[in-house]
Amino acid sequence: MRTNIIKITDISKPGQLTEIDLQELAPLPPPYDDYRNLPGFKKLPKATMENLSDSPDGVLATGLSRPASKEEEERLINLFISGLKKLFTKENNWTFLQPLILSMEHCAKCQTCNEECPIYEESGHNEVYRPTYRAEILRRLYFKYVKPTNPLMRKFMQGDIEVNWELISKLFELSYRCTLCRRCAMSCPIGVDNGLITHELRKIFSSEMGLAPKELHEKGTVQQLIVGSSTGMNPEVVKDNMEFIDEDISERVGFKVETKWDVEGAEVLLIHNAGEILAWPDNPAAFAILLDAAGITWTMSSELVGYDGVNYGLFYDDVQLARIAMKHLEIAKKLKVKKIVMGECGHESKALGVIADRIFEGAVPRETAMTLIEDIVFNRGIKFDPSKNDFPVTLHDPCNITRAMGVIEPQRRVLRYIAPKFREMTPHGVNNYCCGGGSGFAIMSGHNFLDWRMHISGRRKFRQILEAFKDEPPGKEVPKYVCAPCSNCKGQIRDLIDFYGAKEKSGLYYGGLVELVVNAMVDIKDKFIDFDMM
Amino acid sequence: MPVFEYGDVKINVDEDGFMENPEEWNEKVALALASTEDVYELTDEHWHVINYLRDYYQKYGIAPMIRKLCKETGFSLKKIYELFPSGPAKGACKVAGLAKPTGCV
């Protein structure tokens, strides 16, 4: 147990607040229980730490360059304060102003939320990861700059806080130590949302100060709007890749599978997270097989942005979110489709399915893949032989689909039917734990951030996966399938399996939901899921 | 920005060791980058993979799908890992001087 006390006001002091010590982390079950046999935690070179952000914990998710002069520092401070003030105006915060103000003004400081945070718990209760730590900093800033109270009273009531480079750089980093899973919000008796607070902090940095991780902004939303996809695929490349997938899969299943492009008036416009096409091609292939078998007319779009459902704006910037969501809507309207179906991607589902309602007028109906797959499995006359899925399966719940949207039962109903060895994790559904790669972390691995998301933010999920299979032979002889219907979660789970060597040690494999469904189809003669290829 | 040095090769790389300026790539750079994979000699098989990756990258501006790489080179994924121990993306693409893959991949 940690003994050093970190105060809220320490955020404004120079230097690190804490250090990651692998011995202090909650131990994992065997054979991962001895930290000395696990990969270490990379310490950043001294030069990096001196040139870049004041890190709160010796970790850098992104790293800001230190201001070169006093004037530059002043400029950053002024921008931060103006961004803070704008965050609390209706014109600038048309998405989340009300819940933000409620969260600022009504926290009773009961700390109930703390024990709900997997990062705080798994870190050995490291104070800087406590959900209320960064929230309390914003609260003090709010009562100092946005809704100023009498300074003497404030010191007594809310506590003071000083804005300087140390605070700005440490707070920027800290806004990327929470996966926005919002378990804390669900446990709060009042409804205070610390996940939202973290999200709103990121907005100040991005919208007003132009500071965001390059994976999310420059290589993410900006690249997507210019090139067409965060992966860098332009329309020509995506069509070429899908053609390759079609040919490859047709060869494997023995009948023709063909992706449809730009079909006007189709029932379904299918928008995948484009990462699926490059990294997990069996997923889009399985969708094509299943939609055709169900007799649904469907199409993909080859227009810029129309073939990539990614919307990283959800994680850090409302304006970028709106730009991408509007493109998706515009394309669906142009194609006159009946509805948009979001592929197996959590943040796409939430961005386009829920948050975009704040900006859409006359929107096209949208559906998550979970409910569509449920409908296809139970209502479209396709024959299944569940015994083809003869291996143990567990389900990872993507936070955005379950806790944020309430889509819980469809995917389980499907699994209970087509995967006889399906078992739940504990807890699951709305109480699930994040994979540890949420809010964009799965694609961030600069400096020593990969070590952080493997050892700390992903630790609870890795533990849960191992526990879900504890009644199975522990070794690699029995392949165990973690079903994760979300590209971001899959990326994180892949990294966890690689990092801990869990394919070799525990026989862990991972994939989506639709692949399991197609694997159980009677019409698919050979194996669709082939562990030798995974 | 980190600088990677090996012999008389000196290049800017990102935090993951990928080249910041892929246009500076040449065969000597490839050999230098291969050393990060504990590979100190590039065989014809290595070059077969590197050349395919570079051709594709020059044509399309991104790395090919892994499955496409295997099919077009005729090498299994296992074989690619033998040649480049960190695998196709973190190993082979890095040595071939491609930029780090982006998006949810």
Side-chain angles (χ1 to χ4, degrees):
Chain A
M1 192 71 188
R2 298 184 153 263
T3 47
N4 61 328
I5 308 234
I6 299 168
K7 291 188 296 216
I8 302 289
T9 46
D10 290 348
I11 191 92
S12 311
K13 292 179 184 159
Q16 233 171 278
L17 301 175
T18 182
E19 182 83 35
I20 307 287
D21 180 350
L22 294 182
Q23 289 186 72
E24 282 175 355
L25 310 183
L28 288 164
Y32 311 94
D33 47 340
D34 188 342
Y35 75 95
R36 287 166 303 188
N37 299 332
L38 298 176
F41 203 105
K42 195 165 93 193
K43 238 178 133 73
L44 291 174
K46 208 161 162 254
T48 308
M49 296 301 273
E50 279 166 5
N51 295 328
L52 296 178
S53 304
D54 231 20
S55 163
D57 51 1
V59 179
L60 286 178
T62 155
L64 308 179
S65 297
R66 277 181 197 276
S69 61
K70 203 72 204 154
E71 291 73 46
E72 174 63 11
E73 186 177 345
E74 283 296 313
R75 196 185 67 87
L76 283 172
I77 291 172
N78 291 335
L79 274 178
F80 178 79
I81 294 172
S82 68
L84 173 71
K85 289 180 177 167
K86 282 185 190 170
L87 191 66
F88 290 93
T89 59
K90 219 159 76 183
E91 308 74 57
N92 290 294
N93 198 349
W94 30 268
T95 36
F96 302 109
L97 183 60
Q98 189 193 39
L100 178 61
I101 291 179
L102 293 174
S103 294
M104 283 293 105
E105 299 196 350
H106 297 288
C107 172
K109 316 220 160 85
C110 69
Q111 315 296 347
T112 304
C113 55
N114 293 345
E115 300 306 316
E116 300 299 320
C117 174
I119 294 177
Y120 177 58
E121 286 207 310
E122 294 284 344
S123 73
H125 299 92
N126 194 326
E127 190 66 2
V128 294
Y129 305 138
R130 186 162 54 85
T132 46
Y133 186 78
R134 57 180 96 63
E136 193 53 36
I137 293 167
L138 184 63
R139 197 166 289 114
R140 289 189 183 195
L141 292 165
Y142 172 75
F143 284 111
K144 185 168 180 176
Y145 293 101
V146 181
K147 198 180 173 185
T149 45
N150 176 307
L152 267 175
M153 280 286 282
R154 185 172 69 243
K155 218 168 170 185
F156 179 68
M157 297 284 288
Q158 288 96 17
D160 203 11
I161 191 104
E162 187 196 349
V163 179
N164 53 19
W165 155 255
E166 283 76 16
L167 173 135
I168 290 173
S169 61
K170 278 204 273 279
L171 196 55
F172 178 54
E173 276 296 324
L174 268 189
S175 71
Y176 290 91
R177 295 293 186 282
C178 157
T179 65
L180 313 184
C181 86
R182 295 173 70 226
R183 258 186 131 248
C184 55
M186 214 174 58
S187 75
C188 177
I190 301 170
V192 168
D193 190 338
N194 290 313
L196 176 76
I197 287 173
T198 309
H199 175 264
E200 300 296 290
L201 278 171
R202 293 181 184 185
K203 274 163 57 177
I204 301 179
F205 291 110
S206 177
S207 306
E208 188 75 358
M209 307 174 76
L211 303 174
K214 66 174 188 299
E215 294 89 340
L216 301 184
H217 186 65
E218 183 193 335
K219 304 286 185 193
T221 57
V222 173
Q223 177 167 238
Q224 187 177 9
L225 287 163
I226 296 170
V227 181
S229 164
S230 52
T231 58
M233 284 193 287
N234 63 31
E236 187 198 355
V237 177
V238 79
K239 285 182 102 164
D240 188 59
N241 279 340
M242 286 305 302
E243 199 184 312
F244 174 82
I245 294 174
D246 287 348
E247 279 170 21
D248 183 55
I249 218 69
S250 301
E251 231 170 78
R252 271 167 59 196
V253 297
F255 55 84
K256 197 169 163 56
V257 183
E258 197 177 23
T259 298
K260 283 79 176 166
W261 292 103
D262 307 309
V263 181
E264 261 194 44
E267 274 174 76
V268 165
L269 167 63
L270 179 61
I271 310 184
H272 290 293
N273 176 322
E276 297 288 342
I277 296 164
L278 283 174
W280 300 288
D282 285 357
N283 184 277
F287 268 101
I289 293 171
L290 202 59
L291 285 161
D292 281 350
I296 293 171
T297 60
W298 64 284
T299 187
M300 282 175 60
S301 161
S302 67
E303 207 175 304
L304 284 194
V305 187
Y307 51 86
D308 191 355
V310 157
N311 191 342
Y312 298 149
L314 181 79
F315 302 141
Y316 76 101
D317 192 309
D318 291 345
V319 177
Q320 293 297 84
L321 167 101
R323 286 181 175 137
I324 291 167
M326 287 308 286
K327 278 297 289 181
H328 287 145
L329 177 65
E330 193 187 297
I331 289 163
K333 282 187 169 172
K334 203 154 65 180
L335 284 173
K336 301 187 186 71
V337 293
K338 305 271 186 311
K339 65 183 169 195
I340 299 173
V341 168
M342 291 85 77
E344 292 189 6
C345 172
H347 90 273
E348 173 192 358
S349 301
K350 182 179 165 190
L352 194 54
V354 183
I355 307 298
D357 277 342
R358 301 259 167 172
I359 36 174
F360 284 176
E361 277 174 30
V364 175
R366 287 142 282 151
E367 182 175 4
T368 70
M370 302 300 102
T371 48
L372 180 76
I373 294 169
E374 181 193 30
D375 174 38
I376 293 176
V377 168
F378 291 104
N379 303 323
R380 304 278 179 151
I382 300 172
K383 284 200 185 68
F384 293 101
D385 173 7
S387 71
K388 290 170 81 180
N389 286 326
D390 59 353
F391 41 84
V393 174
T394 191
L395 174 66
H396 163 67
D397 282 309
C399 301
N400 283 316
I401 293 175
T402 52
R403 190 155 38 252
M405 295 181 77
V407 181
I408 313 292
E409 189 53 20
Q411 56 272 41
R412 327 191 111 72
R413 210 175 147 223
V414 169
L415 284 174
R416 285 194 297 262
Y417 172 41
I418 56 126
K421 292 187 180 174
F422 167 61
R423 80 280 320 274
E424 293 279 10
M425 291 191 203
T426 312
H428 57 262
V430 290
N431 293 309
N432 83 309
Y433 283 110
C434 172
C435 62
S439 79
F441 288 3
I443 61 165
M444 291 163 59
S445 57
H447 301 289
N448 54 0
F449 196 66
L450 177 73
D451 290 346
W452 187 82
R453 76 178 157 86
M454 295 295 102
H455 277 299
I456 297 182
S457 69
R459 197 177 192 83
R460 179 61 56 93
K461 182 51 62 177
F462 186 56
R463 179 192 304 286
Q464 261 198 306
I465 292 172
L466 296 172
E467 281 169 4
F469 293 122
K470 69 174 187 299
D471 297 333
E472 298 293 335
K476 65 179 287 194
E477 59 280 6
V478 175
K480 304 158 184 88
Y481 189 98
V482 182
C483 170
C486 167
S487 319
N488 189 85
C489 304
K490 273 194 294 202
Q492 166 77 1
I493 290 168
R494 170 193 58 204
D495 291 351
L496 284 169
I497 292 174
D498 284 353
F499 187 82
Y500 289 105
K503 188 158 114 179
E504 284 302 308
K505 290 181 195 157
S506 305
L508 291 186
Y509 295 82
Y510 71 97
L513 176 65
V514 73
E515 295 93 317
L516 282 169
V517 174
V518 169
N519 198 49
M521 280 170 68
V522 171
D523 283 346
I524 302 291
K525 302 292 175 221
D526 208 3
K527 278 187 281 192
F528 188 79
I529 292 175
D530 185 351
F531 291 107
D532 292 334
M533 281 178 63
M534 292 166 79
Chain B
M1 188 179 294
V3 175
F4 172 71
E5 284 185 75
Y6 182 82
D8 51 2
V9 169
K10 193 174 173 185
I11 48 169
N12 288 329
V13 293
D14 69 10
E15 294 85 26
D16 291 299
F18 283 79
M19 288 182 80
E20 281 286 351
N21 309 306
E23 63 282 357
E24 289 173 6
W25 184 90
N26 59 39
E27 297 192 357
K28 257 170 102 173
V29 171
L31 195 60
L33 287 167
S35 71
T36 64
E37 289 283 286
D38 285 330
V39 172
Y40 300 97
E41 196 195 331
L42 293 173
T43 62
D44 287 350
E45 288 183 329
H46 286 107
W47 283 113
H48 184 50
V49 173
I50 294 171
N51 290 334
Y52 172 73
L53 288 172
R54 288 202 63 80
D55 286 348
Y56 188 94
Y57 185 65
Q58 268 153 12
K59 196 165 162 204
Y60 295 112
I62 69 164
M65 298 165 60
I66 292 170
R67 197 165 289 168
K68 201 170 205 167
L69 168 71
C70 294
K71 208 159 187 171
E72 304 284 334
T73 57
F75 291 160
S76 67
L77 191 55
K78 198 166 155 253
K79 174 80 189 171
I80 306 247
Y81 270 93
E82 279 166 28
L83 294 169
F84 301 94
S86 309
K90 285 177 192 150
C93 285
K94 188 194 284 180
V95 175
L98 276 56
K100 189 166 77 171
T102 59
C104 291
V105 294

